Amino acid sequence: MTLPPRLTPLLAQFDFACERLLARLAGPVMDSGNGVDIRVPPLGDEEYRWEPVPGCWSVRRRGDGPGPRATVLTGAGDWGRDSADSPHPSPPPFTTVAWRLSHLSELLALRADHTCGGRSLTRDGYRTPGDAAGAVAAFETASAAWRDALLTADDVALDTVGYSTYPNGSDPEEPFVDIVWWVNQEVLHHGAEIALLRDLYRARPS
């Protein structure tokens, strides 16, 4: 299928954001933005769950229970992500690399499933890795699944309200092209946050 012209720049932006974030997480080098390679150590488990301020939301062992102001650990398996019933705490808790990366991977995996998969995957069934390597691999898998979903979209699909039936957003009420744009913004802004947290971890006092 020929890619719709409207989708071409959005797909290129998504690819750029994901490639940049994966390089920032896994190393060994990444482009600084001006063509200079910068060495980047792979994300480790301690940094993955590092809490730079008190009261962070993170990814935790289920047996340890949710963190401060959280009421539940979402997902399945031995690890879950801090969350709370609506309305969420105000001001919002500061979140770790683990929380942000899990959030990104979950939304990409679920949206892919609710676009061209079985449309059955839920937050309660999503497994959040407790280790950094597993989390990076999960993001890579989820971003590839969403990219595959984008490749199913023709011009009619881009204008179809509810082409994605992802239940945790406005997808059932929005044209698909608006959802594609929104997902790009999620990857871009959370990717920037994760990059900054990596810089702060590197510069933390010994």
Side-chain angles (χ1 to χ4, degrees):
M1 184 181 72
T2 302
L3 203 65
R6 289 180 293 163
L7 185 55
T8 300
L10 291 170
L11 182 62
Q13 184 184 60
F14 177 75
D15 286 343
F16 175 80
C18 290
E19 289 167 7
R20 198 162 174 80
L21 177 54
L22 282 168
R24 192 70 173 81
L25 289 168
V29 296
M30 68 168 292
D31 186 341
S32 66
N34 61 3
V36 176
D37 283 342
I38 297 176
R39 293 194 60 80
V40 178
L43 181 69
D45 291 347
E46 179 182 326
E47 182 181 1
Y48 173 63
R49 295 192 298 274
W50 176 58
E51 299 189 13
V53 297
C56 283
W57 275 12
S58 190
V59 165
R60 306 181 191 280
R61 292 186 186 275
R62 198 163 300 281
D64 294 337
R69 296 196 291 159
T71 59
V72 66
L73 291 173
T74 62
D78 296 334
W79 295 80
R81 189 176 71 249
D82 283 325
S83 187
D85 296 329
S86 186
H88 292 304
S90 182
F94 196 91
T95 54
T96 63
V97 170
W99 194 100
R100 295 169 201 234
L101 194 53
S102 170
H103 167 65
L104 269 182
S105 299
E106 179 201 87
L107 77 85
L108 291 168
L110 266 64
R111 276 197 164 97
D113 178 71
H114 284 269
T115 299
C116 62
R119 299 179 185 256
S120 60
L121 189 58
T122 66
R123 282 180 172 173
D124 289 341
Y126 182 79
R127 290 181 173 267
T128 291
D131 66 295
V136 173
F139 174 75
E140 191 166 16
T141 298
S143 59
W146 176 243
R147 190 183 198 281
D148 287 344
L150 295 181
L151 296 179
T152 70
D154 57 15
D155 270 311
V156 173
L158 290 177
D159 290 327
T160 299
V161 173
Y163 187 73
S164 166
T165 60
Y166 174 70
N168 305 115
S170 62
D171 302 46
E173 292 84 41
E174 301 282 354
F176 188 58
V177 68
D178 291 354
I179 300 305
V180 176
W181 178 89
W182 175 252
V183 170
N184 281 8
Q185 306 319 301
E186 286 282 288
V187 177
L188 287 163
H189 90 256
H190 285 306
E193 292 167 346
I194 289 168
L196 177 58
L197 282 170
R198 294 219 68 188
D199 287 340
L200 290 172
Y201 182 83
R202 176 176 51 83
R204 75 196 187 284
S206 300

